[in-house]
Amino acid sequence: MMSAWVIMRRELASFFVSPLAYVVLTSWLMWNGVVFWVLTEFYARNAVASGAATPLSAFFGGSSLFFIPLLVFVPVLTMRLLAAEKQSGTIETLMTAPVSEASVVLGKYGASIVMWCVLWAPTLIYAWIMSQHGSVDWGATVASYFGILSLGAYFMAVGLLMSALAPNQIIAAVLSFVALGVLFTFGIGEFVFDGAMRELCAYLSMWSHMQSFSKGVVDTRYLVFDASVTILAVGLSIGALKARRHA
Amino acid sequence: MIEVESLSRRYGNRWAVRDVSFRVATGEIVGFLGPNGAGKTTTLRMLTGYLAPSSGAIRIDGIEALQHPIHARQRLGYMPEGVPLYREMRVYEYLRHRAALKGVAEVSDAVDRSLERAGVTDARRRIIGQLSKGYRQRVGLAEALIADPPILILDEPTSGLDPNQVRQFRELVRSFRHDKTVLLSTHILSEVEAVCDRVIIIHAGLKVADPSTERER
């Protein structure tokens, strides 16, 4: 597993020397800055209508404004992982080094989780800002970040799988966008269907997932779902790399 | 030592390599000669474990490469055709990374040694993407040498170099004689004459000549 660590370090180093990293981080913070500002204004002006919701709980998945940027930013972060190696041909030196497919995939996946954390770390400042002007439910905030980490584990794994399957970065990004978009839309099915289908959609819903965590409710059903998708997608990525040798 | 037994590789229903067998003895420099599209790259990719053969067996210093791929790859230094490198890295960063990946114990020493041996010490702090083709080729060779492997596999190592660089590169390869086992592919006969002890000729996926085995007969 030493080699997974080496691969992860290189992936992060190459990401953080690329202009892509700074374009992504800057636009991410601009987007979320505007979202946070609009939500705060909304709750300041509609104190009665807001009920139990707070700007922070709304920010962490209480609105679709949370998911729309993610559908774009996650594919952009994950498209490089394996597809860039294929595009530049470095996959050949990588896969002929004495390392297993599992270490390569785990190294890349580890790097993507670090990127996810780097994406979210600056948003802690919103919690701090709120604490300066009112009271913050820190329990709910910790649960929100825990939910984000769990959600990120599965988003990044889906992106990794698409990067393992696609021949180049553009296709990897499009496939991840479609996969996450479909999963997102499934969640809306909760308000459309009834009976068993409604239950299924509610279970798959990333929306309900984050609404639950942002209220401070750590629902293990969502954790099980996230972990299952993560393990499945990482496992399939390892399989996809192995299959390449036979292609 | 490299031993290959009736190696075949199919892409769909086209045979890229068909029933090829050969041996490269320890300390030998062998040229793998053939026109473009003959199956040279496919064969070398199977030797290095990048591609799985459709059938056949490969032994690297006696290790069954298909059963113990990681073990076999530890004994190989490989320079793929076109020398793919991480363009955003500096030369020494790249070599440090590869040394760590290959489990080299003394990384800094290994980097210095391979830079020296491949003649790129003066470019160690430069960004790979900004290097000339000749330098990138040498960085690729330094990478292949980083773990001091007993076997080197070089795919078209002189393609795209100017005549002066070709001459320097051949001298470099010749300096490995007796020290390393080298298998290099090329489509240029004079290259084989200039650096190799022996030649294996491949055409349309079939081995057509291997003077050493013919002598044995």
Side-chain angles (χ1 to χ4, degrees), chain A residues 14 85 92-93 244-245 247, chain B residues 9 45 49-50 52 78 86 88:
Chain A
S14 94
E85 303 262 7
E92 193 165 353
T93 40
R244 272 186 67 82
R245 297 192 198 272
Chain B
R9 182 60 155 90
R45 283 180 166 174
Y50 182 63
Y78 176 41
Y86 297 117
E88 74 281 0

Side-chain angles (χ1 to χ4, degrees), chain A residues 4 7 82 94-95 99-109 241:
Chain A
I7 288 163
L82 287 157
L94 181 62
M95 300 317 294
V99 296
S100 65
E101 287 86 357
S103 330
V104 171
V105 166
L106 290 176
K108 298 279 181 180
Y109 181 64
L241 269 195

Side-chain angles (χ1 to χ4, degrees), chain B residues 53-72:
Chain B
S54 304
S55 64
I58 300 166
R59 273 184 298 279
I60 304 289
D61 282 346
I63 301 161
E64 291 288 347
L66 302 176
Q67 279 78 44
H68 311 283
I70 293 181
H71 205 50

Side-chain angles (χ1 to χ4, degrees), chain B residues 12 14 79-80 82 91 102 112 130-131 185 193:
Chain B
R14 192 177 66 83
M79 191 172 123
V91 172
K102 292 181 175 184
D112 289 342
Q130 296 172 353
L131 293 176
S185 80
E193 289 171 334

